[in-house]
Amino acid sequence: QVQLVESGGGLVQPGGSLRLSCAASGSIFSVNDMAWYRQAPGKQRELVARITSGGSTNYADSVKGRFTISRDNAKNAVYLQMNSLKPEDTAVYYCFVGYVIGGTYYRSWGQGTQVTVSS
């Protein structure tokens, strides 16, 4: 079993910044893709940013230039630095990790952390 622990959400004013963290623990042979998704009320879950094991990244158009995803392979951790936050960024943010155990690929999700952007 792999557990993901998220932290860093909260309430912030428009234009502010937050940094989300997610650490994976458990029996992981290797971590592949790591990502952040979000789900706003009444909307489907959407990909915010993804980073591969090699460090390649991709972002949703709505966050390009404002959000930065990074990872620490030694800690099996992924981070999301969010700057210039807008009210439309309000959502529950979920950490995602793809990992390998015994040659089999698995997916794991965090419990979600609320981000609210409001004045």
Side-chain angles (χ1 to χ4, degrees):
Q1 287 285 353
V2 172
Q3 294 79 41
L4 301 181
V5 178
E6 302 172 7
S7 60
L11 172 64
V12 64
Q13 293 187 343
S17 298
L18 282 175
R19 185 174 187 251
L20 304 183
S21 300
C22 174
S25 61
S27 302
I28 303 174
F29 177 73
S30 67
V31 175
N32 290 4
D33 287 7
M34 306 182 86
W36 289 94
Y37 286 74
R38 68 185 180 186
Q39 187 167 18
K43 295 187 177 181
Q44 290 188 335
R45 189 174 297 189
E46 63 174 356
L47 175 68
V48 176
R50 176 187 286 118
I51 184 167
T52 69
S53 56
S56 297
T57 59
N58 64 284
Y59 297 90
D61 288 343
S62 59
V63 307
K64 283 181 181 177
R66 300 187 297 122
F67 290 11
T68 302
I69 189 170
S70 61
R71 62 189 285 169
D72 184 334
N73 291 330
K75 296 181 179 179
N76 287 330
V78 62
Y79 309 97
L80 186 68
Q81 178 66 43
M82 304 185 293
N83 298 328
S84 302
L85 282 160
K86 304 175 181 180
E88 50 264 43
D89 294 318
T90 296
V92 178
Y93 284 70
Y94 296 91
C95 171
F96 167 87
V97 171
Y99 59 95
V100 175
I101 297 178
T104 301
Y105 180 84
Y106 296 88
R107 297 171 175 84
S108 185
W109 293 89
Q111 79 282 3
T113 185
Q114 177 71 45
V115 171
T116 302
V117 184
S118 175
S119 55

